[in-house]
Amino acid sequence: MPGTLPRLFGALLLLGGAGVGCSSGDDDASPSQNEGKPVHALGRVIPAPASVEPGGSPYTLTNTTAIHIDDTREVRAIGEYLAGVLRPSTGYPLPVTAESGTGGIALRLSASDESLGDEGYRLESTGDGLTLTARKPAGLFYGVQTLRQLLPAAVEKSTEQSAVWEVPGGTITDSPRYSYRGGMIDVARHFFTVDQVKRYIDQLALYKINKLHLHLTDDQGWRLAIDSWPKLTTVGGSTETGGGEGGFYTKGQYTEIVEYAGSRFLEVIPEIDMPGHTNAILASYAELNCKDTAPPLYTGIDVGFSSLCVDKPATYDFVDDVIREVAALTPGKYIHIGGDEADNTSHDDYVKFMDRAQAVVLKYGKTVMGWHQLAGAEPVAGAVAQYWGYDRTEAAERDLVAGAAKKGTLLVLSPADRTYLDHKYTSETGLGLQWAGLVEVDRAYDWDPATYLKDVGVEEGSVLGVEAPLWTETLATTSDLEVMAFPRLPGVAERAWSTGGEWDEYKLRLAGHAARWEAMGIKFYKSPVVPWPKP
Ligand code: IFG
C-alpha cells in the first residue's frame, strides 16, 4: 500500500535533501544517523499530512510573537490552547489578540477552500509569519497539533527551555481520510479517575483522534451513576479486577470528561455493554436476575459468563432508564451498546434483546454502535458495527460482518491483532494479554483499513474509520496505560487520518517522537523495531 508522499519525504529526510524544509543548521539525516537531534522537516508529522510542500525561510517564534485570532469564542479557545502549550517552554508572552496585525502566528477561519472539509487545515510557514487556515475550528485545532510537531520537542516541556523555536518553511495542506478516528479506554476492569482520563484525552488529541469511546460497564464494574438505579455504582462500582476499590463517575464528573474531550475536539461515545459483560449489573440488583438471586461481585478476568435476563420485563425498564439517562448526558451522536461475548445468551434471545435495546437508543435520539456481533442480530438502519476480529477470526464471522456491511451497516475497524493496545508487544512484555497474538509496533502499523476486509467483500465505502481499544484487565495505572499505548497509538492514528504510508518510512518519523514523549513525561516502550535516536 505505497503512500508516495510520506515515502518520498522519508527518502529526502535520509538524503538530507537541501531545502526539504529542514531548519538551517540542523542535520537532516534520519534520527538514527544524526545522534538523536530532532529533525524539523515538514515531512515528519504523525499522522502524515496529505500534502507537504517545503520551501522558503523558516518561521521563528520570538518574544514579540503574537497569536492573531478571529474574534470568535472557538478560535480564541484554540489560540489560548496553543499559547498554553508554547508559553511555559518558550517563556514568551505570546499574547492572543483579535487585533489585526502582521507576522506572528495567525489562526484564521475561511470557507474559501472547500477541499479542507470539516477537519482539514492549511499551515503556511514563512520568514514573515505562520498562518493556520481552516473551514471549521476542528481544522484549526488539528493544525495546532501539526504546528506543535514542527517545533523542537522541547516545546512540550513545562519549564522554560533555551532553543531556536523554528518552524521549517513551507506549506502543509491536510485533511483526514476517515471521519471516525477513535481511542477507547476500558474504565470498567480498572477504574481511572477523571484526571487520568483527561491525560489520555490530551495524548489522543496529539495525534488528531476525534472519538473517545468510554467502556463504562463490564462484569467487574459499573462506572457511571444512574439516578434511577443507584446500586449500579454503590454496589456495582465498588470494586474492580483484582479486588481493588473500583470507583465511578458522578454525572458531574462524566460531564467534566465530556466537556474536556469536547475542548480537544473529541466526541465521547459511552458504552453500556449488554446483554453479556453484565455481572456488575446483576450483582447490584437481584430482581434483574432470572432467578431473582444476585451473583457475587466479580474481580477476575474471565469473559462470556454473564447475561441479562432477556425474558424479564424489568430488564427493559432497566435498559430504558439507563439509555435515557446516558443519552441526556451525552451530546455526541452515538451510544455503544456492546453486544460482545454474550456466550450465556441463546442466539434467539440475543437477537430479541438487541432488537429492543437498539429501539431504545433510537427512541432517545442516538445512533446505535455495537461490537460486530451486532451483525448476528438485526442492526437497525444507521447502526455502526465495531469489528474486533483478527487473523484467526473464522470466515463465517467475517462473512456475517460483510453481509451487514452490504446492507448498509458502517464499520469501525479495531482488528485485535493490530489495534488492541492491551496486547503484549512481545512474550517479554509484563503487562497485557495475548489471545490475539503478539502486537509489536510494526504490526500495529502495517495494515490498511481500506482493504482489511476486502477478501470478504467489504467495500472501502463501508469503513467509517478506525479505533484503538485499550482494555485494562492488566492495566491499573497511568504509566501502565502509556507504556501500552506508546509507541503503537500514533501508528493507529495514522491509519485513521492518512492515506498510505509504509513502515520503513514511518518508523523514522516515529523514532523522532521519543523526544516529545520524554518532554511530556509519557512512559513508552522502547521497541527494538524502531530506530530510536542514539542517547
Ligand atoms: N475481548 C473483550 C474485551 C476484553 C478484550 C481484552 C472485546 C470486544 C477481549 N471484548 O474485545 O472485553 O476482555 O483483549
Side-chain angles (χ1 to χ4, degrees), residues 210-246:
N210 68 356
K211 302 281 185 283
L212 174 67
H213 172 177
L214 281 178
H215 185 76
L216 289 164
T217 74
D218 212 300
D219 290 317
Q220 297 84 349
W222 181 284
R223 304 297 180 209
L224 175 58
I226 299 294
D227 300 337
S228 47
W229 297 80
K231 288 199 290 184
L232 291 173
T233 42
T234 56
V235 176
S238 67
T239 186
E240 60 191 346
T241 303
E245 65 177 9

Side-chain angles (χ1 to χ4, degrees), residues 189 218-220 277 298 301-306 341 343 473:
R189 275 43 183 275
D218 212 300
D219 290 317
Q220 297 84 349
H277 287 274
Y298 179 69
I301 63 168
D302 292 342
V303 296
F305 58 88
S306 55
E341 298 178 315
D343 304 342
E473 281 94 335

Side-chain angles (χ1 to χ4, degrees), residues 189 218 277 303 340-341 371 388 420 422-423 433 435 471 473:
R189 275 43 183 275
D218 212 300
H277 287 274
V303 296
D340 61 312
E341 298 178 315
W371 298 103
W388 58 287
Y420 268 32
D422 70 315
H423 267 50
L433 301 176
W435 61 268
W471 298 104
E473 281 94 335

Side-chain angles (χ1 to χ4, degrees), residues 237-254:
S238 67
T239 186
E240 60 191 346
T241 303
E245 65 177 9
F248 63 89
Y249 307 117
T250 64
K251 289 194 166 184
Q253 289 170 324
Y254 176 79

